[in-house]
Amino acid sequence: MAEWFHACYVGLCQWSDTLRIKFINDFISDDRWRYLWNGLGVTLKVTLGALILGIILGFLVAMIRSAHDTTGKMKIGNAICRIYLTVIRGTPVVVQLLIIYFVVFASVNIDKSIVAIIAFGINSGAYVAEIVRSGIMSIDKGQMEAGRSLGFNYVQTMRFIILPQAVKNVIPALGNEFIVLLKETSISGYIALQDLTKGGDIIRGRTFDAFLPLIAVALIYLVLVMILSKLVTTLERRLRSSDH
Amino acid sequence: MITDQTLIQVEQLEKSFGSLHALQGIDLSIHKGDVLVIIGPSGSGKSTFLRCLNLLEMPTGGKILFEGEDITAPKANINLYRQKMGMVFQQFNLFPHMTILKNMTLAPIRLLKRSKEEAEEKAMALLKRVGLAERATAYPSQLSGGQKQRIAIVRALCMDPDVMLFDEPTSALDPEMVGEVLEVMRELALDGMTMAVVTHEMGFAREVGTRVVFMDEGRILEEAEPQRFFDAPQNQRTKDFLSKVL
């Protein structure tokens, strides 16, 4: 029995020794941690850029769609929005990214992270649009009538009365969409953009060790998502303060 | 007949919802200082008529002249006319994400370009008048139904409207709260405000109204001074209706 424990102990020591060597080889030698650090920077930059683009596109599309639903105006705008939603939600985001890089910007020399921001922003906009539209539709139509009866036009009523309430209602869904967006940028490697995932994969290629680099990448994503969730919850609670 | 005193002139107003012919040619004029009470069975088109007056429902035929101008004309800027027509809804429709004071000052600040101080001063004065000054910083969800409706009335008054439209203002209230809202409306009428009121409150119609209109199936069947309307109705349908509700 004692021998068995001894064997286990020796095995554990050897394993932790190899792990230590691998760790040094994966992250310390040649400053390989920089692949992760720089990759993290690219991931954050692309996510933030796409987030902003997606929010702008999403709100615009949601406004046009609900204006059409309530007033019957903007038929052409609504048709364009519906095509956009169908195409974007009906095709894989990897394919969209590849098309935008290799087809749309084929003959243009452009920063790959800009391409990624455009691709992910356009993609995210479609989902944000439907989330925001559902929020607008959840507001009682008496709110729009009350705003209009005071003399506000459609856009002013949206801005001062409908959207503040609608956004508050869809914060959890929007937060979820942003978490999905952050993780989706991990396919940026398809256009050879060195984001966090690609960074970990490059280390794997150099050191032939898959375990540590990929686990490290996964952990970093996990921490980012946890921070993001926390921020969303805080925001939600702060916005709820007017409900009694 | 259009005179200087005519505030709203309605001519051959029609409204259809698909195959439902809700308003079938309404002619009516509202003069300055009028308290016009519109009564009738449910589904008679009285709410639709009121909502057509500020174009919350778009009429499908006829004309509405407000202060001499045709507001149904394609080029008319309805947002400007609506600033002069206050509206009070059955469901109050206060803005739940704003305090009472913000509810009342939003439109005057944004649309009439009043300063915040000026708008708040006027709002507070109106709140005092309806006895709700101490609720200025509360949110709508903290108020009772009667309080909400009184706020809705003074919110509309903050825009200094020329006419106030009331769409069944007491129908969503608990019985014991009806009185406080009617009292505010009564005071408003005594101050000379021009009002058009769709209601089931016959007591209010008789005491406060200057004219009573009876509608059924999208038409005006009878129009008279309250005394004559209630004591000596002419139309058979009016008689039947009054015998049921009085």
PDB file of all heavy atoms in Angstrom, chain A residues 153-180:
ATOM      1  N   ASN A 153     -43.383  64.589 -32.037  1.00  0.00           N
ATOM      2  CA  ASN A 153     -43.477  63.802 -33.257  1.00  0.00           C
ATOM      3  C   ASN A 153     -43.043  62.357 -32.967  1.00  0.00           C
ATOM      4  O   ASN A 153     -42.676  62.038 -31.830  1.00  0.00           O
ATOM      5  CB  ASN A 153     -42.662  64.438 -34.401  1.00  0.00           C
ATOM      6  CG  ASN A 153     -41.173  64.493 -34.099  1.00  0.00           C
ATOM      7  OD1 ASN A 153     -40.644  63.619 -33.417  1.00  0.00           O
ATOM      8  ND2 ASN A 153     -40.502  65.514 -34.592  1.00  0.00           N
ATOM      9  N   TYR A 154     -43.078  61.519 -33.988  1.00  0.00           N
ATOM     10  CA  TYR A 154     -42.807  60.092 -33.781  1.00  0.00           C
ATOM     11  C   TYR A 154     -41.409  59.861 -33.188  1.00  0.00           C
ATOM     12  O   TYR A 154     -41.245  59.140 -32.204  1.00  0.00           O
ATOM     13  CB  TYR A 154     -42.953  59.335 -35.112  1.00  0.00           C
ATOM     14  CG  TYR A 154     -42.675  57.859 -34.996  1.00  0.00           C
ATOM     15  CD1 TYR A 154     -43.671  56.978 -34.589  1.00  0.00           C
ATOM     16  CD2 TYR A 154     -41.414  57.342 -35.270  1.00  0.00           C
ATOM     17  CE1 TYR A 154     -43.421  55.635 -34.464  1.00  0.00           C
ATOM     18  CE2 TYR A 154     -41.156  55.989 -35.149  1.00  0.00           C
ATOM     19  CZ  TYR A 154     -42.168  55.135 -34.740  1.00  0.00           C
ATOM     20  OH  TYR A 154     -41.910  53.803 -34.620  1.00  0.00           O
ATOM     21  N   VAL A 155     -40.409  60.519 -33.781  1.00  0.00           N
ATOM     22  CA  VAL A 155     -39.027  60.290 -33.344  1.00  0.00           C
ATOM     23  C   VAL A 155     -38.811  60.787 -31.919  1.00  0.00           C
ATOM     24  O   VAL A 155     -38.175  60.123 -31.095  1.00  0.00           O
ATOM     25  CB  VAL A 155     -38.033  60.960 -34.320  1.00  0.00           C
ATOM     26  CG1 VAL A 155     -36.606  60.856 -33.802  1.00  0.00           C
ATOM     27  CG2 VAL A 155     -38.145  60.327 -35.699  1.00  0.00           C
ATOM     28  N   GLN A 156     -39.373  61.972 -31.606  1.00  0.00           N
ATOM     29  CA  GLN A 156     -39.236  62.504 -30.235  1.00  0.00           C
ATOM     30  C   GLN A 156     -39.899  61.582 -29.221  1.00  0.00           C
ATOM     31  O   GLN A 156     -39.362  61.343 -28.134  1.00  0.00           O
ATOM     32  CB  GLN A 156     -39.888  63.892 -30.151  1.00  0.00           C
ATOM     33  CG  GLN A 156     -39.110  64.978 -30.863  1.00  0.00           C
ATOM     34  CD  GLN A 156     -39.921  66.260 -30.982  1.00  0.00           C
ATOM     35  OE1 GLN A 156     -41.146  66.235 -31.155  1.00  0.00           O
ATOM     36  NE2 GLN A 156     -39.244  67.396 -30.899  1.00  0.00           N
ATOM     37  N   THR A 157     -41.085  61.064 -29.567  1.00  0.00           N
ATOM     38  CA  THR A 157     -41.780  60.162 -28.641  1.00  0.00           C
ATOM     39  C   THR A 157     -40.948  58.905 -28.412  1.00  0.00           C
ATOM     40  O   THR A 157     -40.827  58.424 -27.285  1.00  0.00           O
ATOM     41  CB  THR A 157     -43.169  59.778 -29.194  1.00  0.00           C
ATOM     42  OG1 THR A 157     -43.843  60.965 -29.593  1.00  0.00           O
ATOM     43  CG2 THR A 157     -43.992  59.078 -28.142  1.00  0.00           C
ATOM     44  N   MET A 158     -40.377  58.395 -29.495  1.00  0.00           N
ATOM     45  CA  MET A 158     -39.489  57.234 -29.381  1.00  0.00           C
ATOM     46  C   MET A 158     -38.346  57.547 -28.418  1.00  0.00           C
ATOM     47  O   MET A 158     -38.054  56.786 -27.504  1.00  0.00           O
ATOM     48  CB  MET A 158     -38.892  56.903 -30.758  1.00  0.00           C
ATOM     49  CG  MET A 158     -39.699  55.926 -31.549  1.00  0.00           C
ATOM     50  SD  MET A 158     -39.523  54.303 -30.810  1.00  0.00           S
ATOM     51  CE  MET A 158     -40.882  53.466 -31.556  1.00  0.00           C
ATOM     52  N   ARG A 159     -37.699  58.681 -28.654  1.00  0.00           N
ATOM     53  CA  ARG A 159     -36.483  59.017 -27.926  1.00  0.00           C
ATOM     54  C   ARG A 159     -36.738  59.269 -26.441  1.00  0.00           C
ATOM     55  O   ARG A 159     -36.024  58.757 -25.577  1.00  0.00           O
ATOM     56  CB  ARG A 159     -35.855  60.256 -28.573  1.00  0.00           C
ATOM     57  CG  ARG A 159     -34.575  60.687 -27.913  1.00  0.00           C
ATOM     58  CD  ARG A 159     -33.907  61.816 -28.677  1.00  0.00           C
ATOM     59  NE  ARG A 159     -33.190  62.649 -27.722  1.00  0.00           N
ATOM     60  CZ  ARG A 159     -33.029  63.952 -27.853  1.00  0.00           C
ATOM     61  NH1 ARG A 159     -33.519  64.585 -28.891  1.00  0.00           N
ATOM     62  NH2 ARG A 159     -32.378  64.634 -26.943  1.00  0.00           N
ATOM     63  N   PHE A 160     -37.775  60.047 -26.139  1.00  0.00           N
ATOM     64  CA  PHE A 160     -37.980  60.443 -24.742  1.00  0.00           C
ATOM     65  C   PHE A 160     -38.820  59.447 -23.960  1.00  0.00           C
ATOM     66  O   PHE A 160     -38.683  59.331 -22.748  1.00  0.00           O
ATOM     67  CB  PHE A 160     -38.660  61.816 -24.664  1.00  0.00           C
ATOM     68  CG  PHE A 160     -37.858  62.922 -25.297  1.00  0.00           C
ATOM     69  CD1 PHE A 160     -38.425  63.753 -26.238  1.00  0.00           C
ATOM     70  CD2 PHE A 160     -36.527  63.115 -24.940  1.00  0.00           C
ATOM     71  CE1 PHE A 160     -37.686  64.766 -26.828  1.00  0.00           C
ATOM     72  CE2 PHE A 160     -35.781  64.121 -25.526  1.00  0.00           C
ATOM     73  CZ  PHE A 160     -36.363  64.947 -26.467  1.00  0.00           C
ATOM     74  N   ILE A 161     -39.727  58.757 -24.643  1.00  0.00           N
ATOM     75  CA  ILE A 161     -40.724  57.977 -23.911  1.00  0.00           C
ATOM     76  C   ILE A 161     -40.620  56.471 -24.158  1.00  0.00           C
ATOM     77  O   ILE A 161     -40.571  55.688 -23.219  1.00  0.00           O
ATOM     78  CB  ILE A 161     -42.146  58.497 -24.256  1.00  0.00           C
ATOM     79  CG1 ILE A 161     -42.265  59.938 -23.753  1.00  0.00           C
ATOM     80  CG2 ILE A 161     -43.216  57.612 -23.637  1.00  0.00           C
ATOM     81  CD1 ILE A 161     -43.282  60.752 -24.458  1.00  0.00           C
ATOM     82  N   ILE A 162     -40.569  56.053 -25.418  1.00  0.00           N
ATOM     83  CA  ILE A 162     -40.632  54.609 -25.697  1.00  0.00           C
ATOM     84  C   ILE A 162     -39.283  53.927 -25.466  1.00  0.00           C
ATOM     85  O   ILE A 162     -39.195  52.960 -24.699  1.00  0.00           O
ATOM     86  CB  ILE A 162     -41.099  54.349 -27.150  1.00  0.00           C
ATOM     87  CG1 ILE A 162     -42.381  55.116 -27.452  1.00  0.00           C
ATOM     88  CG2 ILE A 162     -41.267  52.852 -27.385  1.00  0.00           C
ATOM     89  CD1 ILE A 162     -43.594  54.670 -26.697  1.00  0.00           C
ATOM     90  N   LEU A 163     -38.214  54.444 -26.106  1.00  0.00           N
ATOM     91  CA  LEU A 163     -36.927  53.748 -26.032  1.00  0.00           C
ATOM     92  C   LEU A 163     -36.375  53.610 -24.610  1.00  0.00           C
ATOM     93  O   LEU A 163     -35.876  52.543 -24.250  1.00  0.00           O
ATOM     94  CB  LEU A 163     -35.902  54.407 -26.958  1.00  0.00           C
ATOM     95  CG  LEU A 163     -36.050  54.039 -28.444  1.00  0.00           C
ATOM     96  CD1 LEU A 163     -34.996  54.752 -29.278  1.00  0.00           C
ATOM     97  CD2 LEU A 163     -35.958  52.543 -28.667  1.00  0.00           C
ATOM     98  N   PRO A 164     -36.447  54.657 -23.770  1.00  0.00           N
ATOM     99  CA  PRO A 164     -35.918  54.471 -22.411  1.00  0.00           C
ATOM    100  C   PRO A 164     -36.579  53.299 -21.690  1.00  0.00           C
ATOM    101  O   PRO A 164     -35.917  52.556 -20.960  1.00  0.00           O
ATOM    102  CB  PRO A 164     -36.244  55.790 -21.717  1.00  0.00           C
ATOM    103  CG  PRO A 164     -36.349  56.793 -22.806  1.00  0.00           C
ATOM    104  CD  PRO A 164     -36.910  56.041 -23.983  1.00  0.00           C
ATOM    105  N   GLN A 165     -37.888  53.125 -21.910  1.00  0.00           N
ATOM    106  CA  GLN A 165     -38.581  52.002 -21.268  1.00  0.00           C
ATOM    107  C   GLN A 165     -38.253  50.690 -21.961  1.00  0.00           C
ATOM    108  O   GLN A 165     -38.062  49.657 -21.313  1.00  0.00           O
ATOM    109  CB  GLN A 165     -40.099  52.223 -21.318  1.00  0.00           C
ATOM    110  CG  GLN A 165     -40.558  53.462 -20.595  1.00  0.00           C
ATOM    111  CD  GLN A 165     -42.072  53.608 -20.674  1.00  0.00           C
ATOM    112  OE1 GLN A 165     -42.818  52.768 -20.206  1.00  0.00           O
ATOM    113  NE2 GLN A 165     -42.537  54.681 -21.293  1.00  0.00           N
ATOM    114  N   ALA A 166     -38.181  50.733 -23.300  1.00  0.00           N
ATOM    115  CA  ALA A 166     -37.936  49.512 -24.065  1.00  0.00           C
ATOM    116  C   ALA A 166     -36.556  48.946 -23.753  1.00  0.00           C
ATOM    117  O   ALA A 166     -36.401  47.750 -23.506  1.00  0.00           O
ATOM    118  CB  ALA A 166     -38.064  49.793 -25.562  1.00  0.00           C
ATOM    119  N   VAL A 167     -35.558  49.841 -23.725  1.00  0.00           N
ATOM    120  CA  VAL A 167     -34.185  49.382 -23.494  1.00  0.00           C
ATOM    121  C   VAL A 167     -34.064  48.735 -22.111  1.00  0.00           C
ATOM    122  O   VAL A 167     -33.451  47.690 -21.938  1.00  0.00           O
ATOM    123  CB  VAL A 167     -33.189  50.552 -23.638  1.00  0.00           C
ATOM    124  CG1 VAL A 167     -31.819  50.175 -23.106  1.00  0.00           C
ATOM    125  CG2 VAL A 167     -33.093  50.970 -25.096  1.00  0.00           C
ATOM    126  N   LYS A 168     -34.727  49.369 -21.145  1.00  0.00           N
ATOM    127  CA  LYS A 168     -34.698  48.820 -19.794  1.00  0.00           C
ATOM    128  C   LYS A 168     -35.236  47.386 -19.772  1.00  0.00           C
ATOM    129  O   LYS A 168     -34.680  46.522 -19.098  1.00  0.00           O
ATOM    130  CB  LYS A 168     -35.538  49.720 -18.869  1.00  0.00           C
ATOM    131  CG  LYS A 168     -35.306  49.477 -17.413  1.00  0.00           C
ATOM    132  CD  LYS A 168     -35.768  50.653 -16.594  1.00  0.00           C
ATOM    133  CE  LYS A 168     -37.253  50.612 -16.338  1.00  0.00           C
ATOM    134  NZ  LYS A 168     -37.659  51.699 -15.420  1.00  0.00           N
ATOM    135  N   ASN A 169     -36.272  47.153 -20.562  1.00  0.00           N
ATOM    136  CA  ASN A 169     -36.877  45.816 -20.589  1.00  0.00           C
ATOM    137  C   ASN A 169     -35.996  44.772 -21.273  1.00  0.00           C
ATOM    138  O   ASN A 169     -36.150  43.583 -21.017  1.00  0.00           O
ATOM    139  CB  ASN A 169     -38.236  45.853 -21.303  1.00  0.00           C
ATOM    140  CG  ASN A 169     -39.295  46.542 -20.469  1.00  0.00           C
ATOM    141  OD1 ASN A 169     -39.055  46.857 -19.313  1.00  0.00           O
ATOM    142  ND2 ASN A 169     -40.453  46.784 -21.041  1.00  0.00           N
ATOM    143  N   VAL A 170     -35.133  45.199 -22.188  1.00  0.00           N
ATOM    144  CA  VAL A 170     -34.370  44.205 -22.956  1.00  0.00           C
ATOM    145  C   VAL A 170     -32.893  44.148 -22.566  1.00  0.00           C
ATOM    146  O   VAL A 170     -32.105  43.487 -23.251  1.00  0.00           O
ATOM    147  CB  VAL A 170     -34.498  44.444 -24.483  1.00  0.00           C
ATOM    148  CG1 VAL A 170     -35.939  44.286 -24.919  1.00  0.00           C
ATOM    149  CG2 VAL A 170     -33.954  45.786 -24.897  1.00  0.00           C
ATOM    150  N   ILE A 171     -32.521  44.842 -21.482  1.00  0.00           N
ATOM    151  CA  ILE A 171     -31.109  44.819 -21.060  1.00  0.00           C
ATOM    152  C   ILE A 171     -30.574  43.382 -20.896  1.00  0.00           C
ATOM    153  O   ILE A 171     -29.479  43.075 -21.371  1.00  0.00           O
ATOM    154  CB  ILE A 171     -30.909  45.630 -19.751  1.00  0.00           C
ATOM    155  CG1 ILE A 171     -30.964  47.127 -20.055  1.00  0.00           C
ATOM    156  CG2 ILE A 171     -29.595  45.290 -19.070  1.00  0.00           C
ATOM    157  CD1 ILE A 171     -29.742  47.677 -20.741  1.00  0.00           C
ATOM    158  N   PRO A 172     -31.314  42.462 -20.255  1.00  0.00           N
ATOM    159  CA  PRO A 172     -30.788  41.100 -20.129  1.00  0.00           C
ATOM    160  C   PRO A 172     -30.531  40.447 -21.490  1.00  0.00           C
ATOM    161  O   PRO A 172     -29.490  39.820 -21.690  1.00  0.00           O
ATOM    162  CB  PRO A 172     -31.888  40.356 -19.368  1.00  0.00           C
ATOM    163  CG  PRO A 172     -32.645  41.419 -18.653  1.00  0.00           C
ATOM    164  CD  PRO A 172     -32.597  42.618 -19.535  1.00  0.00           C
ATOM    165  N   ALA A 173     -31.454  40.618 -22.429  1.00  0.00           N
ATOM    166  CA  ALA A 173     -31.294  40.022 -23.755  1.00  0.00           C
ATOM    167  C   ALA A 173     -30.131  40.665 -24.504  1.00  0.00           C
ATOM    168  O   ALA A 173     -29.354  39.980 -25.178  1.00  0.00           O
ATOM    169  CB  ALA A 173     -32.576  40.159 -24.566  1.00  0.00           C
ATOM    170  N   LEU A 174     -29.992  42.000 -24.363  1.00  0.00           N
ATOM    171  CA  LEU A 174     -28.870  42.682 -25.022  1.00  0.00           C
ATOM    172  C   LEU A 174     -27.546  42.214 -24.426  1.00  0.00           C
ATOM    173  O   LEU A 174     -26.583  41.967 -25.145  1.00  0.00           O
ATOM    174  CB  LEU A 174     -29.006  44.197 -24.864  1.00  0.00           C
ATOM    175  CG  LEU A 174     -29.928  44.920 -25.843  1.00  0.00           C
ATOM    176  CD1 LEU A 174     -29.925  46.420 -25.547  1.00  0.00           C
ATOM    177  CD2 LEU A 174     -29.515  44.685 -27.275  1.00  0.00           C
ATOM    178  N   GLY A 175     -27.502  42.081 -23.110  1.00  0.00           N
ATOM    179  CA  GLY A 175     -26.286  41.609 -22.447  1.00  0.00           C
ATOM    180  C   GLY A 175     -25.885  40.243 -22.969  1.00  0.00           C
ATOM    181  O   GLY A 175     -24.706  39.987 -23.254  1.00  0.00           O
ATOM    182  N   ASN A 176     -26.851  39.380 -23.146  1.00  0.00           N
ATOM    183  CA  ASN A 176     -26.596  38.051 -23.681  1.00  0.00           C
ATOM    184  C   ASN A 176     -26.022  38.129 -25.091  1.00  0.00           C
ATOM    185  O   ASN A 176     -25.059  37.433 -25.426  1.00  0.00           O
ATOM    186  CB  ASN A 176     -27.903  37.254 -23.687  1.00  0.00           C
ATOM    187  CG  ASN A 176     -27.662  35.798 -23.965  1.00  0.00           C
ATOM    188  OD1 ASN A 176     -26.792  35.188 -23.342  1.00  0.00           O
ATOM    189  ND2 ASN A 176     -28.393  35.251 -24.908  1.00  0.00           N
ATOM    190  N   GLU A 177     -26.591  39.038 -25.898  1.00  0.00           N
ATOM    191  CA  GLU A 177     -26.105  39.200 -27.267  1.00  0.00           C
ATOM    192  C   GLU A 177     -24.645  39.665 -27.272  1.00  0.00           C
ATOM    193  O   GLU A 177     -23.841  39.225 -28.091  1.00  0.00           O
ATOM    194  CB  GLU A 177     -27.018  40.184 -28.014  1.00  0.00           C
ATOM    195  CG  GLU A 177     -26.490  40.746 -29.323  1.00  0.00           C
ATOM    196  CD  GLU A 177     -26.120  39.691 -30.356  1.00  0.00           C
ATOM    197  OE1 GLU A 177     -26.668  38.572 -30.286  1.00  0.00           O
ATOM    198  OE2 GLU A 177     -25.262  39.970 -31.201  1.00  0.00           O
ATOM    199  N   PHE A 178     -24.282  40.537 -26.317  1.00  0.00           N
ATOM    200  CA  PHE A 178     -22.905  41.028 -26.286  1.00  0.00           C
ATOM    201  C   PHE A 178     -21.935  39.924 -25.864  1.00  0.00           C
ATOM    202  O   PHE A 178     -20.800  39.858 -26.340  1.00  0.00           O
ATOM    203  CB  PHE A 178     -22.799  42.237 -25.348  1.00  0.00           C
ATOM    204  CG  PHE A 178     -23.658  43.390 -25.804  1.00  0.00           C
ATOM    205  CD1 PHE A 178     -24.150  44.314 -24.906  1.00  0.00           C
ATOM    206  CD2 PHE A 178     -23.978  43.525 -27.148  1.00  0.00           C
ATOM    207  CE1 PHE A 178     -24.956  45.360 -25.342  1.00  0.00           C
ATOM    208  CE2 PHE A 178     -24.787  44.563 -27.594  1.00  0.00           C
ATOM    209  CZ  PHE A 178     -25.280  45.483 -26.677  1.00  0.00           C
ATOM    210  N   ILE A 179     -22.396  39.034 -24.986  1.00  0.00           N
ATOM    211  CA  ILE A 179     -21.560  37.902 -24.585  1.00  0.00           C
ATOM    212  C   ILE A 179     -21.338  36.969 -25.781  1.00  0.00           C
ATOM    213  O   ILE A 179     -20.218  36.532 -26.049  1.00  0.00           O
ATOM    214  CB  ILE A 179     -22.221  37.153 -23.407  1.00  0.00           C
ATOM    215  CG1 ILE A 179     -22.085  37.998 -22.137  1.00  0.00           C
ATOM    216  CG2 ILE A 179     -21.597  35.781 -23.213  1.00  0.00           C
ATOM    217  CD1 ILE A 179     -22.916  37.512 -20.970  1.00  0.00           C
ATOM    218  N   VAL A 180     -22.410  36.725 -26.521  1.00  0.00           N
ATOM    219  CA  VAL A 180     -22.299  35.893 -27.718  1.00  0.00           C
ATOM    220  C   VAL A 180     -21.320  36.533 -28.704  1.00  0.00           C
ATOM    221  O   VAL A 180     -20.467  35.867 -29.283  1.00  0.00           O
ATOM    222  CB  VAL A 180     -23.684  35.700 -28.376  1.00  0.00           C
ATOM    223  CG1 VAL A 180     -23.548  35.067 -29.752  1.00  0.00           C
ATOM    224  CG2 VAL A 180     -24.583  34.859 -27.490  1.00  0.00           C
TER     225      VAL A 180
END
